[in-house]
Amino acid sequence: MCGELRAPDAGRRVTLAGWANARRDHGGLVFIDLRDHTGIVQLVVRPEHDPVAHDVRNEFVLQAEGEVVARATEAVNPNLSTGEVEVHVDTLRILSRSTPLPFQLDEENVDENLRLRYRWLDMRTPRMQRNLRLSHTAVTAIRRTMDDLGFVDVWTPSMTKGTPEGARDFLVPVRLQPGRFFALAQSPQLFKQLCMVGEIDRYYQIATCWRDEDLRADRQFEFRQLDLEMAFVEREDVLDVLERCVAASFEAVGREPPPVPFPRLQYADVMRRYGSDKPDLRFGLEIEDATEVTRASQFGVFANAPVVRYLVAPRAFSRADLARLEEIAKEWGAKGLAYLVNDGGEIRSPIAKFLSEQELAALAGEPGTTTLFAAADEATVARVLGGLRTHLGRELELADSDAQAFAWTLDFPLFERHEESEGWTFVHHPFTAPLPGDEHRIESDPASVVGQHYDLIWNGWELGSGSIRIHRADMQQAVFRVMGMGEEEQRAKFGFLLDALEMGAPPHGGFALGLDRFLAQLAGEPDIRQVIAFPKVASGSDPLTGAPTPMPDSVLRELGIASVAEPSEPQP
Ligand code: ASP
């Protein structure tokens, strides 16, 4: 390979193939930097033998035969791993030509749409080569670990009945049954549970999942999960498998694995301390409670709020900073943002005059800090301060960029209030089992039931979720009832699951690791598009193919559907 030749190879005859990275034409001699994914080597071509050398342009595909020759000491290039040698070519062939490129491969800050429109060029850059090859290495290590642990790779259908993972489904019309639709699997959830009933006691799959959600740094319409399920296990058994996969991936890419076991955090505790179930634990900035201190406050906003909490940011913010932070707090549901700035010992704050000596003493931070308050119901306070904490972590660069903070969040509530109706909905999905001892309160006191659900977090990203599942039909039906689902609806939607749970379902649990998120973090990339070969952009379009595209009426008719939307302009 081009990048592999070294001084001891001098004298060898070689045949190399690759891309012309650069060409310097000196008339009587032409120097070509030939590149493949292992690196670059310099070719020296005599155009009197190989006149095609004059035609070569960047990114032409070449084949060269010749001899490896040691370079004279003054000609050694210390910046190239092959810099001690060059190849004196006696046969040069142009295998393929290239038009001038829309961007240069060594150009920085190329617009991402342009990179994706010409992804095959972008893939030739060191960044994408590294990301895709590193992903392969990590995925191979994961597969090996799963195999070593006795997991069986079982393929499950993509076209199925909706799987309730809390997102919208992508639908697939069916020509043979007009008016009926498959949903693309949001996850293999029910199939993997059915594998357990089917005596495949350790299932795994690197599964593609589809969810119709807004695209973000950590979300695409379609993404991959390391999806697994195990029978006869408890929570710790599942967590152990994931910790092994993470460690194996780190080792495979030549990095020190994070220490195991990862910290296990209680949901209620992380929500109180960090205002989020996926806190970035590479920095402190914990939420403090001021409810007691402010109970009898002269400041009505504090006295009347069910909960008052605060963060002490390590910076004496200016008014302009605080106005910006207030806007952020409002986006998270705050009405305003009360603060105390300790500017070298002097307190700057419009609310200071309402606060007692004791309140000020308890709440103002050290000089050079700002105390930021949220006063509202518990959930709003967590959202606002959690949002501010994440923002400040980024803005003030509080995280130690070398640290790797993995943790498990455990013991989530099983149910939460439905946003629109007054009823209950699931926190994870409806198949999560309650903690042993909580099952009898499923219907009598849903709010108090803790689920056996766990999330894996890494540096503030949720890498995935899982749970110990319900394996009894009567308990599954009780959960459906709490969610407002009558007998008929249960049978229509989940009859097959209830039947399976009645025919010898073992206790079981599992997990799904968002593979693209994991790989992006492993590669040190800020978003998952950088580890996906052909991703879509925020508008939901694929800049490379131009999909999605409108379909002719005749095609739609055959599928038994009609589009009521005027096709929108193609999105960039
Ligand atoms: N099906 C869940 C998900 O995709 C993961 C699990 O519970 O195993 O998020």
Side-chain angles (χ1 to χ4, degrees):
M1 302 295 282
C2 296
E4 290 175 344
L5 297 176
R6 298 287 181 274
D9 294 309
R12 279 178 66 190
R13 273 198 70 75
V14 289
T15 303
L16 301 171
W19 283 259
N21 201 60
R23 184 196 62 133
R24 293 171 296 282
D25 197 330
H26 292 198
L29 275 185
V30 177
F31 296 92
I32 297 169
D33 289 345
L34 191 68
R35 183 193 74 235
D36 63 27
H37 74 88
T38 62
I40 288 174
V41 69
Q42 174 163 284
L43 306 181
V44 184
V45 194
R46 292 182 175 281
E48 61 202 64
H49 294 151
D50 287 298
V52 291
H54 288 309
D55 297 349
V56 171
R57 295 289 177 274
N58 281 4
E59 299 308 309
F60 276 30
V61 182
L62 308 176
Q63 189 185 51
E65 285 175 41
E67 187 183 328
V68 181
V69 175
R71 295 201 205 185
T73 323
E74 66 282 4
V76 165
N77 180 350
N79 301 322
L80 271 188
S81 57
T82 61
E84 288 183 311
V85 295
E86 56 194 14
V87 177
H88 290 188
V89 175
D90 43 49
T91 314
L92 181 72
R93 254 183 276 150
I94 294 179
L95 302 183
S96 184
R97 290 169 185 262
S98 169
T99 53
L101 305 186
F103 56 87
Q104 296 310 309
L105 300 192
D106 58 359
E107 207 172 310
E108 281 181 20
N109 302 323
V110 180
D111 172 67
E112 197 182 2
N113 272 311
L114 193 65
R115 286 175 53 206
L116 293 176
R117 165 74 182 80
Y118 299 97
R119 188 62 148 180
W120 58 86
L121 294 179
D122 189 39
M123 283 162 91
R124 294 181 200 163
T125 60
R127 176 186 187 179
M128 286 307 297
Q129 282 287 319
R130 172 178 171 272
N131 288 354
L132 294 176
R133 289 173 192 277
L134 174 140
S135 298
H136 162 77
T137 305
V139 169
T140 305
I142 289 174
R143 286 194 182 279
R144 199 174 301 124
T145 307
M146 296 308 281
D147 188 49
D148 288 348
L149 294 173
F151 283 82
V152 178
D153 184 343
V154 179
W155 185 49
T156 58
S158 314
M159 290 163 61
T160 178
K161 206 165 166 175
T163 31
E165 298 285 359
R168 264 188 220 101
D169 286 325
F170 281 104
L171 299 181
V172 184
V174 184
R175 180 181 52 86
L176 297 177
Q177 298 183 52
R180 288 179 171 262
F181 298 85
F182 283 106
L184 290 181
Q186 288 188 34
S187 85
Q189 183 60 38
L190 292 176
F191 292 109
K192 67 177 170 177
Q193 290 192 235
L194 298 181
C195 283
M196 297 302 106
V197 187
E199 222 176 307
I200 303 289
D201 59 345
R202 287 188 167 204
Y203 143 97
Y204 94 102
Q205 185 184 184
I206 294 194
T208 302
C209 304
W210 290 266
R211 298 186 192 177
D212 186 359
E213 296 180 300
D214 290 344
L215 290 82
R216 302 210 190 120
D218 62 355
R219 272 199 205 150
Q220 285 272 308
F221 285 158
E222 44 186 327
F223 58 92
R224 289 169 301 164
Q225 282 187 173
L226 165 64
D227 197 53
L228 62 96
E229 198 73 16
M230 308 164 77
F232 307 108
V233 288
E234 290 170 0
R235 183 177 75 194
E236 282 299 319
D237 301 303
V238 183
L239 306 194
D240 178 64
V241 170
L242 269 300
E243 289 176 352
R244 284 169 194 260
C245 287
V246 170
S249 309
F250 268 71
E251 272 164 17
V253 303
R255 287 175 59 180
E256 174 83 16
V260 290
F262 304 152
R264 274 111 170 106
L265 311 173
Q266 296 290 314
Y267 170 82
D269 196 42
V270 283
M271 289 306 286
R272 214 205 53 65
R273 287 163 62 196
Y274 306 105
S276 162
D277 56 7
K278 45 175 190 296
D280 189 339
L281 300 166
R282 290 172 301 171
F283 59 93
L285 195 64
E286 289 194 21
I287 298 171
E288 313 278 349
D289 194 81
T291 315
E292 281 302 307
V293 182
T294 55
R295 239 358 18 165
S297 184
Q298 295 299 305
F299 184 45
V301 173
F302 283 0
N304 299 328
V307 175
V308 183
R309 290 188 184 147
Y310 62 98
L311 291 170
V312 183
R315 183 72 52 95
F317 287 121
S318 69
R319 267 174 192 243
D321 291 333
L322 288 158
R324 241 181 343 97
L325 292 174
E326 178 162 22
E327 283 315 304
I328 294 167
K330 283 181 173 166
E331 279 167 29
W332 291 102
K335 296 220 170 68
L337 182 64
Y339 58 84
L340 297 172
V341 182
N342 185 337
D343 214 345
E346 190 191 321
I347 304 295
R348 265 195 287 123
S349 163
I351 64 161
K353 56 180 179 284
F354 302 111
L355 301 182
S356 66
E357 287 286 308
Q358 289 99 310
E359 282 174 300
L360 281 175
L363 304 174
E366 301 283 301
T369 64
T370 306
T371 308
L372 299 165
F373 294 95
D377 60 276
E378 173 125 24
T380 308
V381 166
R383 240 189 354 263
V384 171
L385 293 180
L388 281 173
R389 179 181 179 274
T390 305
H391 174 85
L392 291 171
R394 218 174 294 133
E395 186 174 301
L396 305 180
E397 295 180 356
L398 300 179
D400 167 0
S401 55
D402 290 333
Q404 304 304 334
F406 281 88
W408 295 102
T409 308
L410 310 174
D411 296 341
F412 285 72
L414 194 61
F415 300 105
E416 64 187 1
R417 284 282 177 196
H418 198 275
E419 268 174 27
E420 284 122 45
S421 76
E422 272 300 278
W424 294 99
T425 184
F426 51 85
V427 168
H428 181 34
H429 51 51
F431 318 112
T432 298
L435 271 189
D438 280 14
E439 37 305 59
H440 63 280
R441 293 197 311 276
I442 291 177
E443 289 184 272
S444 59
D445 186 10
S448 74
V449 180
V450 174
Q452 296 201 60
H453 161 194
Y454 29 82
D455 274 5
L456 178 59
I457 52 177
W458 181 9
N459 295 352
W461 280 33
E462 181 194 314
L463 288 185
S465 302
S467 57
I468 297 298
R469 326 295 186 185
I470 296 171
H471 70 280
R472 274 181 16 218
D474 59 340
M475 193 187 291
Q476 186 62 70
Q477 287 195 290
V479 166
F480 286 150
R481 276 195 297 276
V482 173
M483 290 166 44
M485 227 189 270
E487 188 77 28
E488 214 170 301
E489 191 181 346
Q490 292 179 21
R491 293 287 340 162
K493 287 190 173 156
F494 299 111
F496 62 100
L497 173 69
L498 296 171
D499 288 345
L501 295 183
E502 277 174 341
M503 296 185 194
H508 60 283
F511 195 80
L513 175 86
L515 201 56
D516 312 295
R517 291 182 184 179
F518 178 64
L519 297 172
Q521 285 275 10
L522 199 62
E525 288 288 359
D527 64 73
I528 63 175
R529 296 185 300 280
Q530 313 308 326
V531 292
I532 297 176
F534 302 106
K536 295 176 183 55
V537 292
S539 60
S541 311
D542 169 11
L544 192 153
T545 61
T549 50
M551 283 292 153
D553 282 340
S554 55
V555 173
L556 296 184
R557 219 171 301 121
E558 197 177 21
L559 294 170
I561 55 179
S563 175
V564 293
E566 276 301 311
S568 48
E569 286 298 306
Q571 300 277 332

